[in-house]
Amino acid sequence: MKRYDFDTCIDRRGTACEKYEDLMTIFGTDRVIPLWIADMDFATADFIVEAMHKRMQHPIFGYTFRPRCYHEAICGWMARRGEWQIDPSWIAFSPGVVAGVTFAMLSCTEPGDGVVIQPPVYHPFANTIRNNGRKVLNNPLIQDPEGEGGCGGYRIDFEDLDAKLSQARAMILCNPHNPTGRVFTKGELLKIGELCRKHDVTIISDEIHCDFIFRPHRHLHIAALNDDLANRTVTLIAPSKSFNVAGFSTAAAVIPNAERRAAYQAEVDKIHIENGNIFGAVALQTAYEQGDEWMNQLLEYLQGNVDFVYEFIQKELPSVKCYKPESTFLMWLDFRAWGMTQEELNRFLVEEAGLGLGDGSIYGVEGTGFERLNIGTPRSVLERALNQLAEAVRKRGL
């Protein structure tokens, strides 16, 4: 069996790489270790690169479509990795998951309608709701670090969710949850479904991180749990995070209900993006046809990174609260014990520790005092970053 290399550090500068070449814009300096945007530093799998080369050998790159084998690749991946048997006819195109979330939202809401999200959560959700004239309805996750609510004790406030859904037409579910790393249980998902049925709310489920599941946890596609959920849910997936191919801008919406699918497609047609691009289709199909073993080894490596970061922080930085994620290649770090404002915390990390992490406050006020750490990078990079942080903390006497 081939062993894939996740330890080699690859210089990404000079490739118009946002993670490394937009640091001056984000942090005001390029002298930080970038561990912010959810973009892994591992080489794209060789079988995907080879498929790109093969397609490049044909000298014409004209209008394209997604053939049946493309749809069958998605169906096969979902069946093998997620135990969900889907029909090829349920699949619709999107250039990315956030675009798909937006198309789904526009297809089932009108300006002024409420849309529920669960902060601290991926910030483009709130942006796309507001930018399209809809109303953000926050159902904040409750954090009880001593409780049994998963990563860091995060759990759903169902009483508040019931109240918010009564004012909503749609709910954007982030499962696995970014940035907390929660994988919602079957019981939680069924309760969400029960409340959405009660208030006749459409579920738009961002499941882009569903391939990153750490043992003993299990991801369940909410639309696969019963017929009502299948009929009221638009599920968004993509190979972009799993196989580090975000630059190809290819995602898929899985929509079992024919009327919802037609409404979604109508929004896509309004801006004429149905064709997508040749290489995105090749990347997705190749990843989902050949990527099982690569994904298995990646998960093994990421689990090692999780354990390394957790143990280092427990030993060297006990004032920082750190929880092992159930999913994603992101860790949610709690710096609130330091008593800094978010601006002070960000400045300390950049100027004294030389780190570019993800500002927790962008995920909602519930993220104030937190930072998101991308562990999708060689372990040597994480080791260097954490040592820099520990040294800066010692110098400050924190």
Side-chain angles (χ1 to χ4, degrees):
M1 179 178 64
K2 178 174 181 175
R3 294 299 300 178
Y4 293 99
D5 175 17
F6 301 107
D7 281 315
T8 297
C9 294
I10 300 171
D11 186 356
R12 301 181 63 182
R13 298 179 190 274
T15 63
C17 170
E18 182 178 6
K19 183 176 182 179
Y20 284 82
E21 296 185 78
D22 203 24
L23 294 177
M24 287 296 297
T25 302
I26 305 300
F27 300 105
T29 176
D30 59 4
R31 302 187 68 179
V32 295
I33 300 175
L35 299 167
W36 59 293
I37 196 169
D39 176 345
M40 296 189 295
D41 288 323
F42 308 127
T44 299
D46 54 357
F47 48 85
I48 297 176
V49 176
E50 289 165 8
M52 295 295 107
H53 286 165
K54 182 178 180 180
R55 181 60 186 86
M56 285 288 290
Q57 288 171 6
H58 192 289
I60 298 176
F61 310 104
Y63 290 122
T64 188
F65 76 106
R66 287 169 293 283
R68 183 172 180 82
C69 54
Y70 168 95
H71 295 88
E72 289 174 344
I74 296 172
C75 294
W77 184 260
M78 298 292 276
R80 294 193 311 277
R81 309 297 294 197
E83 300 180 14
W84 186 18
Q85 302 292 331
I86 66 173
D87 190 280
S89 68
W90 298 354
I91 300 169
F93 172 74
S94 178
V97 163
V98 176
V101 166
T102 305
F103 296 140
M105 180 186 69
L106 293 175
S107 74
C108 67
T109 64
E110 298 293 336
D113 284 346
V115 181
V116 174
I117 58 175
Q118 296 177 300
V121 73
Y122 189 49
H123 60 285
F125 295 163
N127 293 341
T128 196
I129 293 168
R130 295 190 185 100
N131 291 343
N132 286 281
R134 276 64 174 172
K135 181 181 178 182
V136 175
L137 298 174
N138 286 320
N139 168 232
L141 296 181
I142 298 172
Q143 190 190 28
D144 176 12
E146 306 305 321
E148 298 179 356
C151 297
Y154 280 101
R155 57 185 174 84
I156 298 171
D157 183 342
F158 282 108
E159 182 177 352
D160 180 70
L161 180 59
D162 189 7
K164 296 298 169 53
L165 289 173
S166 71
Q167 308 167 49
R169 296 297 300 154
M171 174 181 180
I172 301 176
L173 174 66
C174 190
N175 182 39
H177 191 271
N178 173 13
T180 70
R182 275 299 318 275
V183 177
F184 295 121
T185 65
K186 183 177 182 180
E188 288 172 310
L189 295 174
L190 288 173
K191 182 64 174 177
I192 290 171
E194 176 187 328
L195 294 176
C196 287
R197 181 174 66 250
K198 173 183 175 181
H199 298 291
D200 193 21
V201 167
T202 299
I203 300 169
I204 304 167
S205 189
D206 171 4
E207 302 186 16
I208 195 170
H209 288 281
C210 68
D211 295 323
F212 299 94
I213 307 298
F214 300 118
R215 297 188 184 94
H217 305 286
R218 180 186 176 206
H219 176 265
L220 298 171
H221 299 284
I222 191 170
L225 296 182
N226 60 48
D227 289 343
D228 179 76
L229 284 167
N231 281 316
R232 73 173 58 254
T233 301
V234 176
T235 302
L236 281 307
I237 61 166
S240 53
K241 304 296 184 189
S242 307
F243 293 92
N244 210 25
V245 291
F248 287 125
S249 297
T250 295
V254 182
I255 315 173
N257 183 278
E259 290 184 7
R260 290 191 187 279
R261 192 164 61 251
Y264 173 97
Q265 188 61 50
E267 295 300 328
V268 174
D269 291 344
K270 286 177 182 178
I271 56 175
H272 197 64
I273 60 165
E274 171 63 21
N275 282 351
N277 70 82
I278 293 171
F279 296 106
V282 171
L284 180 147
Q285 182 179 335
T286 306
Y288 285 166
E289 287 178 344
Q290 302 179 38
D292 290 88
E293 184 55 35
W294 191 88
M295 193 72 221
N296 291 342
Q297 291 185 33
L298 172 63
L299 283 172
E300 179 184 346
Y301 191 86
L302 290 174
Q303 180 66 73
N305 279 358
V306 167
D307 294 342
F308 171 75
V309 172
Y310 181 81
E311 291 165 10
F312 186 101
I313 289 179
Q314 291 288 100
K315 181 180 179 182
E316 303 293 339
L317 297 162
S319 60
V320 179
K321 290 184 179 178
C322 173
Y323 309 99
K324 290 188 177 183
E326 298 165 356
S327 176
T328 78
F329 53 94
L330 308 163
M331 294 183 74
W332 190 230
L333 307 183
D334 182 351
F335 293 88
R336 289 177 296 177
W338 289 2
M340 295 182 181
T341 66
Q342 192 72 36
E343 183 179 356
E344 290 168 340
L345 174 59
N346 293 339
R347 187 182 308 117
F348 169 80
L349 292 171
V350 170
E351 297 178 1
E352 299 182 46
L355 302 181
L357 306 186
D359 180 342
S361 67
I362 69 172
Y363 304 100
V365 295
E366 298 80 5
T368 302
F370 290 79
E371 298 280 337
R372 194 183 75 168
L373 170 69
N374 178 351
I375 61 164
T377 195
R379 200 159 302 151
S380 60
V381 175
L382 291 175
E383 183 175 10
R384 179 160 54 93
L386 291 175
N387 280 324
Q388 286 181 196
L389 178 57
E391 179 61 23
V393 168
R394 281 192 288 271
K395 287 182 178 179
R396 268 285 198 108
L398 293 169

